[in-house]
Amino acid sequence: MKSSEFKVRVQAFGRFLSGMVMPNIGVFIAWGLLTALFIPTGWFPNEQLAKMVGPMITYILPLLIGYNGGKLIAGDRGAVVGAITTVGVICGTSIPMFIGAMIAGPVGGYVIKKFDEKMKGKIKSGFEMLVNNFSAGIVGLILAVIFFYGVGPVVEQLNTLLGVGVNRLVQAGLLPLTSLVVEPAKVLFLNNAINHGVFGPLGIQQVSETGKSLFFLIEANPGPGLGVLLAYMMFGKGASKDSASGAAIIHFFGGIHEIYFPYILMKPMLIVSLVFGGMTGVFINVLFGGGLVAPPSPGSIFAIMALAPKGEMLPVLLSVVGATAVTFVTAAIVLKSSKEIEEDMKSIKSFVAESKTLETISRIIVACDAGMGSSAMGAGVLRKKIEAANLPIEVANCSISNLTEDMDIVITHKDLTERAKKTVSSPMHISIDNFMNHKFYDHLVENLKERFKDVHIEIENNEKKIVKKGSVNPDILRKDGVLIGLESVSKEKAIDEVAAHLEKLGYVGKGYGKYMQEREKVSTTYIGNYVAIPHGTVEGKKKVLKSGIVILQYPNGIDFGNGNKAYFLIGIAGKNDEHVEIISKIADVIEDEDEVLVLKDEKKAEKIYKIFNV
């Protein structure tokens, strides 16, 4: 296996682990604050309110993790079965079962997914709901029993052994050595997996026993990242120095640690600085007994201070300051001894060459591992530049796992690009070294402006409206796009004929008809007044080569069910908004039912073309 492929798989697995926990961060924070405030050693001890701490950590959090684990595998049914399975592992142990939930949830989702695949097409019509409900209940119950007797106790023993091992590291003073693994792994965008998949469960177990845990500060300590960014502010060069101050604010006060990863990847030797800084922070926490009552997410200094135990904030702050200082000093040495960093603009050159193959560019997505940190920052920078250039392009951010084929351009960090390409293949992929590289975005916008030199935007009713200079693109509805006098066939056959004509005229690629048929099954495309508008699903957009419309006339009509007959099938292949104006004109024509009835017998295709297009 190639190293790049191995890295992609590791990142994907890490993303899966964090995907079970990330949606529940609000619950973790609620539990953390509840613990910090109301337990006997909390800021405001309250015996009654403290009763919520136990049920939340024992039942709610593991159940939500199991629910999300099942959902990631098999959607809503997987979520339900995953939650049922997790009940077995919860009740089969005497400790909070976070690791067990991370196993039970996905297993439940996987089993019900395989069951559904075996039963596909074998359930009689009308019995679907009955079978679905009973199968989820029965499969979930069986798995819950298995996990109660066979998995829960095993996981509990493993958890105990892991705890013993960690305690020995603490007693031997070797826990700081974990930074040798943690800091490099973070830079490979595995920070969420490490924090929520490894240290989170260990920390929560420790909190239930001692009231606090230093595990919450091994990965989340913002000191190492701050130290690197401060070094760049003082000793960096070019764009990296200019952007470091903004990144430092976002990282330290906003808690978005991914923002500093590209600065490390530009100068890999800085990983050594992170390791020394991380080890320093862990050592200080071990020495002075520092720790938090819950995982800080995001890892902002504010969240860390809020989750420090009552009267024990000083050790926590010392660990942050110590990690920052050591990282800063060592990073400064690396940066002062290095040559000026050249900005890599190969991605822009590649964009200029490859973008000619794109029919349009209307949606750009900046993606990262979780979709909440560095990608949000990058999308914010690019969005401002796009708006300043008055370009009709949507800019958004998301996680790599949420990418879809209907996006035009996907921008990712170079270490995540291969994973993004495995997720979606239709969009153009652009790699970037630094999500805060303003120079990169400036070049990108300048090249995008060339593509929209014949377009401007007007504000109408407080909304942006794209206005193209000159007339409507005549290639969208051509004279040979109108076919008349066709014989009546089945609805499915007629839709195939529409797809075939779209393909013949070069609007879509082979196979688009399948997506038109799938769209028809979701809900009818018959819109009334004897007209249907067959078109593909969102997924089918990857088959659209350029925007186009075809009009097929069936004088004797096509049966669309429920007494609906269509004399005109208007096939649509929408790549962007170019076809909207003609659609508007067509709507004006078919608004008159009598006009449609007259046109259904028209013998000249050119006349129909002029009526719909002029």
Side-chain angles (χ1 to χ4, degrees), residues 565-579:
K565 182 177 287 189
Y567 295 116
F568 286 95
L569 268 65
I570 302 173
I572 302 173
K575 187 71 174 178
N576 53 29
D577 295 324
E578 286 182 311
H579 63 293

Side-chain angles (χ1 to χ4, degrees), residues 541-584:
K541 190 174 181 181
K542 62 187 177 184
K543 290 289 185 179
V544 177
L545 304 178
K546 59 181 179 180
S547 295
I549 293 172
V550 296
I551 299 176
L552 278 63
Q553 178 209 59
Y554 294 87
N556 293 319
I558 301 296
D559 184 7
F560 269 74
N562 297 321
N564 297 319
K565 182 177 287 189
Y567 295 116
F568 286 95
L569 268 65
I570 302 173
I572 302 173
K575 187 71 174 178
N576 53 29
D577 295 324
E578 286 182 311
H579 63 293
V580 172
E581 188 168 342
I582 290 182
I583 288 291
S584 179

Side-chain angles (χ1 to χ4, degrees), residues 1-167:
M1 183 185 298
K2 295 180 180 179
S3 59
S4 60
E5 184 178 350
F6 176 74
K7 182 169 67 175
V8 168
R9 291 189 179 184
V10 171
Q11 289 174 343
F13 179 68
R15 171 62 185 162
F16 181 78
L17 289 178
S18 63
M20 285 187 272
V21 180
M22 290 295 286
N24 308 311
I25 289 301
V27 186
F28 276 97
I29 292 174
W31 170 75
L33 292 174
L34 188 69
T35 304
L37 293 174
F38 302 126
I39 62 174
T41 57
W43 293 91
F44 307 103
N46 187 305
E47 184 178 351
Q48 295 300 314
L49 294 177
K51 291 180 179 180
M52 291 189 285
V53 173
M56 191 172 287
I57 189 177
T58 304
Y59 301 108
I60 295 179
L61 285 168
L63 278 172
L64 286 173
I65 290 173
Y67 179 91
N68 280 293
K71 189 171 185 177
L72 288 172
I73 299 293
D76 290 338
R77 277 173 60 74
V80 172
V81 177
I84 297 172
T85 307
T86 303
V87 170
V89 79
I90 290 174
C91 297
T93 60
S94 58
I95 62 174
M97 250 310 105
F98 291 90
I99 295 177
M102 289 181 175
I103 300 172
V107 168
Y110 177 79
V111 172
I112 198 64
K113 181 180 180 179
K114 290 301 178 182
F115 175 86
D116 289 344
E117 290 175 356
K118 292 288 185 182
M119 296 300 294
K120 188 175 182 180
K122 298 179 181 179
I123 303 173
K124 291 184 178 181
S125 180
F127 287 86
E128 293 88 352
M129 182 177 293
L130 181 67
V131 173
N132 286 342
N133 288 335
F134 270 86
S135 62
I138 293 171
V139 170
L141 177 59
I142 293 173
L143 290 174
V145 172
I146 292 173
F147 270 75
F148 181 90
Y149 286 109
V151 180
V154 173
V155 174
E156 184 173 6
Q157 287 299 317
L158 290 174
N159 198 79
T160 300
L161 290 174
L162 190 60
V164 170
V166 170
N167 286 332

Side-chain angles (χ1 to χ4, degrees), residues 225-485:
L226 179 62
V228 165
L229 293 172
L230 289 176
Y232 264 105
M233 289 169 58
M234 305 226 11
F235 306 106
K237 299 174 183 179
S240 58
K241 179 175 183 177
D242 295 338
S243 60
S245 57
I249 294 173
I250 294 167
H251 162 73
F252 193 65
F253 297 108
I256 301 174
H257 292 191
E258 293 93 340
I259 202 73
Y260 78 82
F261 298 170
Y263 292 85
I264 306 300
L265 294 168
M266 286 190 291
K267 185 62 63 177
M269 272 297 294
L270 289 173
I271 290 177
V272 175
S273 303
L274 290 180
V275 170
F276 281 133
M279 292 176 67
T280 300
V282 176
F283 176 76
I284 291 174
N285 278 317
V286 172
L287 185 64
F288 295 103
L292 302 179
V293 298
S297 185
S300 162
I301 187 63
F302 298 125
I304 288 172
M305 292 172 66
L307 295 174
K310 180 181 179 181
E312 298 183 31
M313 189 177 296
L314 182 59
V316 172
L317 293 179
L318 283 176
S319 72
V320 175
V321 172
T324 302
V326 171
T327 306
F328 171 78
V329 172
T330 54
I333 295 172
V334 172
L335 290 177
K336 288 182 69 175
S337 61
S338 64
K339 296 180 180 180
E340 184 174 353
I341 299 173
E342 297 290 335
E343 295 292 344
D344 183 7
M345 301 306 291
K346 292 181 181 178
S347 292
I348 290 296
K349 293 178 181 178
S350 175
F351 166 75
V352 174
E354 295 180 30
S355 65
K356 295 177 182 178
T357 63
L358 290 179
E359 179 69 18
T360 59
I361 298 175
S362 59
R363 193 176 184 207
I364 300 176
I365 301 296
V366 184
C368 67
D369 182 61
M372 296 184 292
S374 49
S375 64
M377 296 298 105
V381 173
L382 179 57
R383 188 181 301 111
K384 289 181 180 178
K385 295 181 183 294
I386 290 289
E387 291 175 352
N390 206 28
L391 295 176
I393 299 175
E394 175 193 354
V395 178
N397 67 287
C398 71
S399 65
I400 289 178
S401 60
N402 287 329
L403 291 173
T404 56
E405 296 288 354
D406 61 333
M407 299 165 179
D408 298 310
I409 296 175
V410 172
I411 300 174
T412 50
H413 188 273
K414 65 180 183 180
D415 283 348
L416 299 175
T417 301
E418 284 302 315
R419 186 168 144 210
K421 287 181 177 179
K422 289 181 178 293
T423 304
V424 289
S425 58
S426 295
M428 175 183 292
H429 290 270
I430 300 179
S431 298
I432 189 171
D433 283 331
N434 183 350
F435 280 111
M436 298 301 288
N437 187 341
H438 287 258
K439 186 177 179 181
F440 171 90
Y441 296 122
D442 287 336
H443 280 269
L444 179 61
V445 171
E446 284 302 314
N447 283 280
L448 287 170
K449 285 166 68 174
E450 284 297 310
R451 299 180 62 92
F452 289 91
K453 58 186 177 183
D454 294 325
V455 174
H456 67 278
I457 298 178
E458 293 180 355
I459 304 297
E460 186 176 300
N461 297 326
N462 294 323
E463 293 185 0
K464 288 185 176 180
K465 179 182 178 182
I466 300 174
V467 180
K468 296 183 180 295
K469 299 173 184 178
S471 59
V472 177
N473 184 351
D475 193 46
I476 294 177
L477 176 58
R478 295 159 33 181
K479 289 182 180 180
D480 55 356
V482 180
L483 300 180
I484 64 171

